[in-house]
């Protein structure tokens, strides 16, 4: 594969730092020049923003324009979404202005499932390290700019790992969960196609919750980041904190009920709750 370059000019709804640091992905890393390099599917890409230009450069499995159009979801009008959400209230408007370049990526469902199982009770650097080691051990190597990169392993590639293999890569208690989930999907007890095609969000959530290592928050993250269910509102410590600070105002935020937050989010943000969550999460975490 040859290196390809594409330059996008005068495009407002795109900020690499907002996209790659808002908690939705784990394989993008900032470089010394402020650009980001990441691996997704069979692609290695560097994204750099300079003034009014966004420069995409890397090794792609298809035409670079087609690849980035799909992955960065350029068919979705984020300007329209932001205008609609900005009318909800001043808090959300401020968070949107702060993270105005956020876009929800079109990520591979299989990678998203395993990545968010790994994310449970974990921190970002450690999650990234585990995923990198899994990819190096079981994925395919891609060489670019005299550097070696590794694709996230396919279902079949990861099925070669036993629990001990996964434990050796530093998964901790998640090793058995990743192993069992891989077997369930490999044996077609739950198929990726079935999850993709399930229209009912509640049924989809119930199916995901049957996978080992998938609790309510992980299920919601998979639905939002792997299946683009914009109506889903994942709740972690930052989201609970921001919703309590802005609206609920309980003196002890740890006592705020998840259902109370979800009900509030559905009432206020409706079918764009997941996008509202991303703006609020990024705003609260970055300004804490």
């Amino acid at each position: 594969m040859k290196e390809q370059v594409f330059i996008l000019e005068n495009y407002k709804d795109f900020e690499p730092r907002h996209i790659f640091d808002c908690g939705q992905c784990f394989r993008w890393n900032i470089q010394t020049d402020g650009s980001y390099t990441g691996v997704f599917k069979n692609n290695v890409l560097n994204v750099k923003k300079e003034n009014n230009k966004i420069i995409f450069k890397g090794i792609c499995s298809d035409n670079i324009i087609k690849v980035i159009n799909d992955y960065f979801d350029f068919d979705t009008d984020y300007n329209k979404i932001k205008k609609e959400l900005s009318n909800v209230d001043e808090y959300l408007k401020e968070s949107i202005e702060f993270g105005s370049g956020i876009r929800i990526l079109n990520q591979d469902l299989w990678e998203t499932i395993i990545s968010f199982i790994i994310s449970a009770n974990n921190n970002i650097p450690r999650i990234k390290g585990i995923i990198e080691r899994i990819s190096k051990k079981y994925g395919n190597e891609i060489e670019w700019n005299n550097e070696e990169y590794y694709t996230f392993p396919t279902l079949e590639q990861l099925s070669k790992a036993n629990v001990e293999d996964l434990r050796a890569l530093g998964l901790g208690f998640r090793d058995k969960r990743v192993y069992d989930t891989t077997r369930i999907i490999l044996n077609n007890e739950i198929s990726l196609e079935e999850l993709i095609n399930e229209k009912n969000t509640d049924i989809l959530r119930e199916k995901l919750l049957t996978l080992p290592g998938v609790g309510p928050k992980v299920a919601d993250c998979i639905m939002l980041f792997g299946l683009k269910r914009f109506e889903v509102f994942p709740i972690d410590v930052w989201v609970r904190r921001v919703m309590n600070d802005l609206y609920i105002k309980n003196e002890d935020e740890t006592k705020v009920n998840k259902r109370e937050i979800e009900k509030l989010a559905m009432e206020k943000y409706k079918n764009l709750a997941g996008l509202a969550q991303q703006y609020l999460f990024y705003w609260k975490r970055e300004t804490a």
Side-chain angles (χ1 to χ4, degrees):
M1 293 189 288
K2 290 183 179 179
E3 180 179 279
Q4 298 182 61
V5 180
F6 177 67
I7 298 174
L8 190 62
E9 296 191 56
N10 300 314
Y11 192 85
K12 293 179 181 178
D13 304 315
F14 191 106
E15 186 61 54
R17 189 165 68 90
H18 297 172
I19 294 168
F20 303 132
D21 290 347
C22 68
Q24 65 174 316
C25 55
F26 303 108
R27 300 214 65 202
W28 287 87
N29 297 301
I30 193 164
Q31 308 300 303
T32 53
D33 64 353
S35 67
Y36 284 78
T37 299
V39 183
F40 60 98
K41 297 182 181 174
N42 292 308
N43 311 289
V44 179
L45 204 65
N46 177 265
V47 181
K48 186 175 185 179
K49 190 165 186 181
E50 287 184 340
N51 302 318
N52 66 333
K53 293 181 180 179
I54 307 163
I55 303 159
F56 302 90
K57 182 192 295 184
I59 300 287
C60 296
S61 57
D62 203 337
N63 178 279
I64 191 169
I65 299 174
K66 183 179 177 184
V67 168
I68 64 172
N69 188 70
D70 174 61
Y71 185 67
F72 292 104
D73 197 15
F74 282 120
D75 290 335
T76 295
D77 187 347
Y78 272 77
N79 189 46
K80 182 182 176 184
I81 287 169
K82 287 187 288 187
K83 281 182 179 175
E84 184 176 338
L85 284 173
S86 291
N87 289 325
V88 172
D89 60 35
E90 284 302 311
Y91 301 129
L92 191 54
K93 184 180 179 183
E94 186 178 342
S95 75
I96 288 169
E97 287 169 357
F98 184 84
S100 61
I102 289 174
R103 306 182 73 84
I104 302 294
L105 303 167
N106 277 318
Q107 298 188 75
D108 177 73
L109 176 59
W110 162 245
E111 180 175 346
T112 305
I113 290 170
I114 298 301
S115 296
F116 278 94
I117 289 174
I118 290 168
S119 79
N121 298 314
N122 218 339
N123 59 58
I124 299 286
R126 194 159 181 276
I127 298 163
K128 285 187 167 191
I130 292 169
I131 293 171
E132 199 58 42
R133 290 192 292 276
I134 285 176
S135 300
K136 189 171 183 177
K137 179 85 173 172
Y138 296 103
N140 298 323
E141 182 184 316
I142 300 174
E143 190 174 315
W144 178 53
N145 273 352
N146 298 316
E147 295 277 347
E148 293 171 355
Y149 298 91
Y150 298 88
T151 61
F152 190 85
T154 63
L155 173 61
E156 290 73 21
Q157 285 173 322
L158 194 58
S159 71
K160 294 172 185 173
N162 60 34
V163 175
E164 289 73 25
D165 294 329
L166 294 170
R167 186 166 300 152
L169 295 173
L171 272 78
F173 65 86
R174 305 162 198 86
D175 51 16
K176 182 83 164 56
R177 296 174 178 182
V178 168
Y179 176 84
D180 288 344
T181 290
T182 301
R183 287 292 171 285
I184 286 168
I185 297 174
L186 185 72
N187 296 334
N188 228 31
E189 294 169 48
I190 290 180
S191 74
L192 298 174
E193 198 72 21
E194 173 189 339
L195 296 173
I196 290 166
N197 293 330
E198 179 54 64
K199 301 291 186 236
N200 186 296
T201 300
D202 292 331
I203 294 173
L204 175 58
R205 182 181 284 107
E206 288 306 312
K207 287 179 179 179
L208 286 169
L209 286 170
T210 65
L211 295 173
V214 176
K217 183 202 160 219
V218 168
D220 285 354
C221 286
I222 292 167
M223 286 193 285
L224 178 58
F225 303 133
L227 290 161
K228 302 298 283 287
R229 297 297 177 98
F230 285 172
E231 72 275 20
V232 174
F233 195 81
I235 298 167
D236 73 345
V237 63
W238 292 106
V239 174
R240 184 176 62 194
R241 187 169 298 162
V242 72
M243 294 298 280
N244 184 56
D245 287 352
L246 298 181
Y247 307 114
I248 300 168
K249 302 188 184 300
N250 191 315
E251 287 185 12
D252 184 354
E253 69 178 45
T254 63
K255 293 182 178 175
V256 177
N257 187 282
K258 182 177 182 285
R259 288 187 180 178
E260 184 182 0
I261 296 174
E262 285 177 333
K263 184 172 181 289
L264 180 62
M266 293 308 112
E267 287 171 357
K268 293 183 79 65
Y269 316 132
K270 300 182 172 58
N271 64 334
L272 295 175
L275 283 164
Q277 185 265 13
Q278 281 291 273
Y279 293 119
L280 290 165
F281 167 85
Y282 184 71
W283 177 49
K284 185 64 178 177
R285 194 186 64 178
E286 295 296 309
T287 59

